[in-house]
Amino acid sequence: MKFQKRKGITYFQKGKNPQLLIMSGTHGNEYHILPTVVSVVQEMESILPSFMYIPEASPSAVKQKTRVNGCGHDINRGFGKLVDPEVLALKELISPLSHVLGISFHEDLEFQEFYFYDTHSLGSEQLDTFRKQVKELKVPLRTGFDQPDDPALSYAIKEGYIDFVGAASKNGQFIEDWAMYHGHFTRFLTFEIPYKHEQVALLVKNCIQLALTLL
Ligand SMILES: [Zn+2]
């Protein structure tokens, strides 16, 4: 994969009209999975449709290995209105995208269990199939709360899934709130990967495959 760089943000693009955006490295303390995501995306490149891949959405946070970036911001809180050169660079990079499905890889550093957020809602059959695939990897699915102390979250997770998260909004909390408001994304999935799990690469692959079924 030949990466390009724009205003400090490294990215890869296959084809001219991406249908899919793959991101990771939004929170710099969630850096463990970054090399895994790179290798899985590389492995899947030939079977993926036109897509954009941003391995480090917040390069300064990844460099520091901290949740906040070089300007002291958690870029995924108040993304729509943050005054921050890195946020502006990311907005500029995302802006040419139109109606893509976005997915982002995070790590919940507290629980070694898998769960994911969806701005929309999966059909029960599709969700069951995906849960089965995850269970086959012996990855536990989280049931319970995500981050009760985080006012932007505090969602109840059921068997690894939370639907209808966030809302399209100009000044929204999350990257996807802003991007959906402006028509760059149609839907967004945020995967919380238990990075210590030995099947982490296959789990990441399953997540991307799930996204492909939604295109
Ligand atoms: Zn995160």
Side-chain angles (χ1 to χ4, degrees), residues 137-151:
L137 301 176
K138 298 202 162 49
V139 174
L141 295 171
R142 177 157 182 79
T143 292
F145 281 95
D146 51 358
Q147 303 291 336
D149 302 334
D150 186 337

Side-chain angles (χ1 to χ4, degrees), residues 14-152:
K14 176 184 171 180
K16 285 208 167 83
N17 297 300
Q19 298 175 43
L20 176 69
L21 169 70
I22 303 171
M23 282 200 309
S24 55
T26 303
H27 295 131
N29 53 342
E30 300 165 16
Y31 60 87
H32 310 83
I33 51 159
L34 302 187
T36 307
V37 178
V38 176
S39 59
V40 172
V41 173
Q42 242 157 6
E43 187 195 322
M44 295 181 79
E45 183 193 337
S46 63
I47 64 149
L48 294 177
S50 181
F51 71 100
M52 181 186 269
Y53 169 40
I54 305 173
E56 296 180 8
S58 180
S60 66
V62 172
K63 197 175 172 199
Q64 294 175 169
K65 295 186 174 173
T66 55
R67 187 172 174 91
V68 297
N69 72 357
C71 293
H73 295 133
D74 174 344
I75 68 157
N76 211 32
R77 296 293 179 274
F79 183 79
K81 57 183 176 188
L82 273 180
V83 180
D84 181 310
E86 206 169 56
V87 168
L88 295 178
L90 192 55
K91 282 180 175 172
E92 208 177 293
L93 191 57
I94 289 172
S95 283
L97 301 177
S98 176
H99 299 94
V100 307
L101 170 70
I103 62 170
S104 185
F105 290 97
H106 287 244
E107 298 166 15
D108 188 315
L109 299 169
E110 198 177 339
F111 311 111
Q112 281 298 311
E113 295 166 316
F114 172 77
Y115 60 96
F116 70 111
Y117 300 93
D118 184 352
T119 54
H120 292 63
S121 190
L122 283 171
S124 60
E125 205 173 307
Q126 200 166 21
L127 184 57
D128 284 347
T129 306
F130 181 66
R131 279 176 175 144
K132 234 176 255 171
Q133 287 167 351
V134 174
K135 281 183 195 159
E136 274 165 22
L137 301 176
K138 298 202 162 49
V139 174
L141 295 171
R142 177 157 182 79
T143 292
F145 281 95
D146 51 358
Q147 303 291 336
D149 302 334
D150 186 337

Side-chain angles (χ1 to χ4, degrees), residues 150-176:
D150 186 337
L153 295 174
S154 312
Y155 285 98
I157 311 157
K158 197 183 162 216
E159 273 190 276
Y161 186 58
I162 314 148
D163 55 4
F164 300 118
V165 171
S169 156
K170 194 178 177 181
N171 296 320
Q173 289 283 1
F174 306 126
I175 295 169
E176 58 270 28

